[in-house]
Amino acid sequence: MTVHERRAEQRTAPGGSVEFDADVLVIGGGPAGTWAAVSAAERGARVVLADKGFCGTSGATAAAGTGVWYVDPKPALREAAMANREKMGGHLQDRRWMARVLDQTYEDSNRLAAWGYPYPVDDTGTSQRNSLQGPEYMRLMRKRTKQAGVTILDHSPALELLVDDDGSVAGASGVRRQKHDRWIVRAKAVVIATGGCAFLSKTLGSNVLTGDGYLMAAEVGAEFSSMEFSNPYAISPAFGSVTKTLFYGWATFSYEDGSVVPGAASKGGRSAIARALLQGPVYARLDKADDDVQRHMRASQPNFFLPFDRTGIDPFRERFSVTLRLEGTVRGTGGLRIVDDSCATSVPGLYAAGDAATRELICGGFTGGGSHNAAWAMSSGTWAGWGAAGYARQLGPARQRRLASAGTVAFRSKAGRAFEPATLTKAVQDEVYPYELNYFRHASRLESALERLDAAWVDASSADAASKDDLLRARESAAMLATSRWMYRSALARNESRGMHRRDDYPYQDDRQRHYVTSGGLDEVWTTVRPHADASYSEAAE
Amino acid sequence: MIEVIDAERCTSCDICVNVCPTNVFDKTEGIPVIARQGDCQTCFLCELYCPEDALYVSPYAEEPRPTDVVALRQTAALGSYRRAVGWTDETRDLRGIDRSYLLFGH
Ligand SMILES: Cc1cc2nc3c(=O)[nH]c(=O)nc-3n(C[C@H](O)[C@H](O)[C@H](O)COP(=O)(O)OP(=O)(O)OC[C@H]3O[C@@H](n4cnc5c(N)ncnc54)[C@H](O)[C@@H]3O)c2cc1C
Ligand code: SF4
Ligand code: SF4
């Protein structure tokens, strides 16, 4: 048993707040955040982890569970795994990164086994490690995080970053929702692991994922990448929240009158479902699952059946009405741009992991759901934790740094006009949910949506500071607004269809656009393009 | 959405107040209250952590559906998710029966 004596120190602080001194602050306690915290602590860093909800139940993985891109280290299997989604991802993946994620995921999964995760054993006696039950996995990660000596702050959303005089990130502050006070953590490095942004669409476990980390990072000048790949929609019963889609591979989709929706399928035919939903209700029945498959389904995903068992629907025999819920960058691939193997962002002292970071390196423009995202969360979390711990160590003993708060929107008093989070949230949702805007994109529709979103930003950023009780919701709504603008600006910068990004006005993939779209900015949103690694290598070879 | 705290079963341990990721419950002198039902994300996780099977989350995510606790006690719903994932003493063998590996790649 390793003993970790280095804990973050609590300092005396003025009334109404708590303060900690740490080497590394991890913001977000899903798989990416907990792996980052454990890894940083194992490298000797004093670590604080702050989560908006409860580390262990919060975030997409805890509620949903995940298939994992776990592949035995046999060259042929690894090669096949890397080749598998390359075409769907529009060839934007990077082989070197895929290989290192497969390696790290293999190692991390084997550690999970050693820590006692109850992986199932198949008929041949082999432990099967390509699926993780969410509650089980995240309960274990919370335990390991505590055992590593990390100080966990639950119900403690971060609201803004702190920077020192050189603009390096030096901590963050937020609120403790159940204690009704503020927290401040001074840290030498910060890992953003706040997950993606699903725009409060009620997709499973994701209402804590409002892009807060993106907004905080943008306020210190961080850049984003692949934000056009942010429009996956997941199937769920129309009334429910369980957006687990694997089992819809055994479904038949039909219109109100019972006739089959042509081309509709969970994989490779979801757009047909979206088009049908624009006309009227769509129904599903999992009628292709035989008895064996039905049994395996029940054993593997008990929560998939809760909406059915609790409403008396037999999903294998009866039709039920379905909908598509937007998952934004949760099962999309856009996020903070990382600039090196340690998952550093373009801002000194700031690291990104999991859905908060771009997954373009292993997913390209196709969804990372189903396996890649989970592998990315643990791998990038591990690397970001090591990276942040190394950065903190190299910074040396704490010198007294003068810190400034980097928060902008909803923090500054200005116009004498109130900030209205609920109204703003609704306004953003109205621009990002509709299939005709976001699933099926077109320059003219994107441009008019952006006009409204830009105007909303002008409003929000000139509104008064939010009241103490409204601050979290105000920051969340502003984060969703900012995210929608990077999404649509990036979508306009890619004049083709590739991966999940589908342009009605440019229906084909264009070989000349095999590049990444970088974006950033708050008052002025900008985009540029960066070459794909293959292109840079071939140029270097010329 | 969360609909029921069964006052007969609840022991006021406040675990649900702690674990709900969207901070839906509030502590009281006695049993917790559902203070912000509209913030519930229908993730069912509070049910898994309640040691007394006193909570019921209705599967309707978009609107409240008041649920009668007396009728609910006649069904197997209370605690059903916890039993299904193997988080009760009687069902702990279920923790290792994930068969996803037989279903992937369909
Ligand atoms: C229904 C569903 C099914 C999925 N299935 C799969 C699958 O089979 N395979 C796969 O690979 N991927 C799957 N995914 C995607 C996968 O769940 C995510 O990629 C993964 O959870 C990312 O981990 P994360 O740690 O980055 O984010 P999350 O697990 O979402 O955790 C983010 C954490 O950050 C916290 N947070 C947010 N804002 C703040 C703030 N301001 N301050 C402090 N903390 C904050 C949240 O509370 C949360 O705990 C699925 C997603 C969904 C929604
Ligand atoms: S977890 Fe269950 S027993 Fe404990 S307070 Fe909540 S409802 Fe009551
Ligand atoms: S279902 Fe989830 S969000 Fe709702 S009360 Fe329970 S734990 Fe909280």
Side-chain angles (χ1 to χ4, degrees):
Chain A
M1 169 84 213
T2 36
V3 183
H4 298 276
E5 282 163 16
R6 291 166 58 77
R7 292 191 72 97
E9 266 168 66
Q10 185 161 355
R11 309 187 353 156
T12 46
S17 64
V18 285
E19 256 185 73
F20 295 89
D21 260 336
D23 297 316
V24 173
L25 167 65
V26 178
I27 306 179
T34 48
W35 278 104
V38 168
S39 307
E42 286 177 347
R43 291 275 163 107
R46 300 165 306 149
V47 184
V48 174
L49 182 153
D51 195 279
K52 181 192 275 189
F54 178 82
C55 170
T57 61
S58 202
T61 290
T66 51
V68 183
W69 206 32
Y70 175 93
V71 181
D72 283 329
K74 300 199 181 93
L77 293 178
R78 288 282 171 96
E79 170 60 31
M82 291 195 281
N84 183 269
R85 289 191 188 183
E86 255 172 353
K87 182 152 181 270
M88 286 187 290
H91 298 278
L92 288 177
Q93 297 92 331
D94 182 320
R95 282 279 173 130
R96 190 178 73 81
W97 277 87
M98 286 200 264
R100 66 191 290 259
V101 166
L102 285 167
D103 283 343
Q104 191 63 49
T105 301
Y106 186 75
E107 253 174 57
D108 287 349
S109 303
N110 296 343
R111 289 194 82 187
L112 284 173
W115 291 343
Y117 181 85
Y119 283 114
V121 175
D122 70 13
D123 291 344
T124 68
T126 310
S127 170
Q128 289 287 339
R129 299 190 178 166
N130 59 1
S131 166
L132 287 166
Q133 299 289 338
E136 190 80 57
Y137 172 32
M138 291 314 301
R139 183 173 67 171
L140 177 61
M141 288 309 294
R142 178 183 179 88
K143 185 171 123 193
R144 295 304 307 193
T145 303
K146 284 181 134 177
Q147 285 175 344
V150 173
T151 300
I152 298 178
L153 306 177
D154 294 308
H155 299 290
S156 299
L159 295 176
E160 61 179 327
L161 293 176
L162 307 174
V163 287
D164 71 6
D165 284 342
D166 329 322
S168 303
V169 173
S173 71
V175 291
R176 296 199 295 177
R177 297 188 70 194
Q178 297 192 339
K179 303 243 163 68
H180 307 284
D181 62 7
R182 266 168 62 81
W183 61 263
I184 297 161
V185 175
R186 296 157 178 275
K188 296 177 191 161
V190 173
V191 179
I192 302 268
T194 46
C197 176
F199 299 97
L200 299 176
S201 72
K202 293 210 160 77
T203 189
L204 195 58
S206 298
N207 271 22
V208 287
L209 309 173
T210 44
D212 309 0
Y214 300 152
L215 174 61
M216 288 186 276
E219 285 171 332
V220 298
E223 296 175 354
F224 299 84
S225 192
S226 289
M227 290 300 282
E228 67 277 29
F229 304 120
S230 46
N231 56 343
Y233 286 81
I235 309 172
S236 82
F239 60 85
S241 60
V242 183
T243 42
K244 302 190 44 157
T245 51
L246 178 68
F247 298 169
Y248 289 96
W250 284 265
T252 302
F253 296 92
S254 53
Y255 295 109
E256 182 90 76
D257 68 4
S259 61
V260 171
V261 178
S266 175
K267 261 197 232 159
R270 218 173 278 179
S271 59
I273 303 174
R275 284 190 211 284
L277 280 167
L278 286 170
Q279 310 304 318
V282 173
Y283 298 83
R285 175 168 52 207
L286 310 182
D287 47 12
K288 296 176 189 156
D290 63 23
D291 289 350
D292 277 347
V293 168
Q294 291 182 24
R295 239 190 21 255
H296 299 324
M297 286 176 167
R298 284 227 171 240
S300 303
Q301 298 190 4
N303 56 355
F304 180 85
F305 292 95
L306 294 174
F308 303 117
D309 294 347
R310 291 180 180 192
T311 52
I313 296 169
D314 177 349
F316 301 112
R317 282 172 196 83
E318 290 166 66
R319 300 200 308 158
F320 53 94
S321 140
V322 293
T323 190
L324 292 173
R325 293 190 188 275
L326 178 65
E327 299 196 309
T329 55
V330 173
R331 278 197 269 204
T333 65
L336 284 160
R337 177 160 97 83
I338 52 180
V339 298
D340 66 18
D341 284 7
S342 72
C343 297
T345 68
S346 51
V347 181
L350 190 66
Y351 293 75
D355 289 356
T358 176
R359 280 133 288 154
E360 67 200 8
L361 298 161
I362 61 163
C363 302
F366 186 68
T367 177
S371 58
H372 290 51
N373 273 0
W376 175 255
M378 55 176 90
S379 307
S380 63
T382 304
W383 297 326
W386 288 338
Y391 181 93
R393 192 175 337 106
Q394 151 257 300
L395 222 54
R399 32 187 185 105
Q400 205 48 45
R401 293 198 283 177
R402 224 183 22 200
L403 304 187
S405 306
T408 56
V409 56
F411 276 116
R412 299 193 207 121
S413 277
K414 280 189 179 151
R417 191 164 37 76
F419 198 114
E420 289 174 27
T423 316
L424 179 54
T425 295
K426 176 77 175 47
V428 175
Q429 290 170 335
D430 285 347
E431 303 297 343
V432 296
Y433 285 178
Y435 311 138
E436 64 274 25
L437 283 175
N438 202 3
Y439 207 133
F440 309 108
R441 294 166 166 178
H442 187 285
S444 65
R445 298 192 293 269
L446 289 171
E447 272 158 12
S448 42
L450 268 170
E451 252 172 58
R452 295 184 290 271
L453 292 166
D454 287 346
W457 180 263
V458 171
D459 262 11
S461 57
S462 63
D464 248 345
S467 69
K468 193 166 156 257
D469 291 342
D470 264 357
L471 189 55
L472 172 61
R473 296 294 180 234
R475 289 289 287 175
E476 288 178 336
S477 61
M480 290 187 281
L481 173 59
T483 305
S484 69
R485 292 167 69 230
W486 298 312
M487 270 166 54
Y488 279 178
R489 223 26 105 195
S490 302
L492 272 176
R494 190 176 282 290
N495 289 318
E496 61 162 353
S497 292
R498 186 185 293 264
M500 71 180 74
H501 167 71
R502 204 182 268 273
R503 286 276 298 265
D504 282 351
D505 45 347
Y506 294 99
Y508 302 106
Q509 187 164 305
D510 168 9
D511 289 343
R512 289 162 309 177
Q513 297 185 53
R514 190 185 169 208
H515 53 218
Y516 299 116
V517 175
T518 319
S519 57
L522 287 165
D523 291 338
E524 290 298 328
V525 172
W526 53 266
T527 62
T528 56
V529 301
R530 305 189 324 278
H532 182 266
D534 287 356
S536 350
Y537 295 146
S538 57
E539 257 167 46
E542 266 168 22
Chain B
M1 287 183 192
I2 178 75
E3 291 292 349
V4 171
I5 302 179
D6 184 345
E8 257 178 37
R9 296 185 180 209
C10 174
T11 57
S12 307
C13 70
D14 287 339
I15 291 175
C16 52
V17 182
N18 273 332
V19 301
C20 168
T22 57
N23 195 32
V24 162
F25 305 96
D26 272 345
K27 284 181 197 169
T28 71
E29 295 292 296
I31 69 171
V33 290
I34 301 170
R36 288 163 294 274
Q37 189 188 25
D39 288 348
C40 173
Q41 59 172 357
T42 319
C43 66
F44 304 99
L45 285 168
C46 50
E47 284 192 19
L48 287 188
Y49 278 83
C50 172
E52 308 298 334
D53 295 334
L55 295 169
Y56 177 75
V57 178
S58 139
Y60 293 92
E62 307 281 2
E63 81 246 340
R65 288 279 176 121
T67 309
D68 176 35
V69 62
V70 180
L72 203 60
R73 287 194 202 117
Q74 310 304 311
T75 71
L78 287 168
S80 58
Y81 185 31
R82 199 161 74 95
R83 290 190 293 277
V85 300
W87 279 20
T88 65
D89 284 344
E90 309 76 62
T91 62
R92 58 164 31 129
D93 291 347
L94 298 183
R95 287 173 66 215
I97 63 156
D98 188 346
R99 291 290 172 269
S100 298
Y101 60 91
L102 296 173
L103 299 169
F104 288 142
H106 170 73

